[in-house]
Amino acid sequence: MAGSTAAVGIIAGAVLLTGGLAAVGSASVAGQRLASAADAAALAAADAASGAVAGVPCDLAGELAGAFGARVEACDLDGLVATVTVAVSVGPVAARASARAGPPP
């Protein structure tokens, strides 16, 4: 009886550990995707601001962020430098990432 109780405890602990590691891995992947969305959106906005691509900078940023499943929360232009903040809801939590793009200083 004691051996089966110990086995159940070990299996339950392994299941909880696996679930926790899966949640951390999922959050890490979501964070990387969100950072990629912010980078792409900032690059698109900076390209439009410089005239390399036709369009309104923040509109292009919104289109690219939407392709990643994110939304633009802020889009600021300072000359040719674009700063974009994107967000996505992961369950009850809203994750955010920001990126800047433009010509070198």
Side-chain angles (χ1 to χ4, degrees):
M1 190 68 140
S4 61
T5 303
V8 168
I10 290 171
I11 291 171
V15 167
L16 288 174
L17 180 63
T18 301
L21 290 174
V24 168
S26 176
S28 176
V29 168
Q32 290 301 315
R33 286 185 182 165
L34 190 59
S36 295
D39 288 343
L43 285 169
D47 282 349
S50 71
V53 176
V56 179
C58 291
D59 290 348
L60 289 177
E63 288 177 24
L64 268 170
F68 283 88
R71 66 185 180 282
V72 173
E73 283 197 338
C75 179
D76 299 316
L77 292 173
D78 182 17
L80 299 178
V81 177
T83 304
V84 178
T85 301
V86 297
V88 66
S89 295
V90 181
V93 179
R96 291 176 183 76
S98 295
R100 284 179 51 158

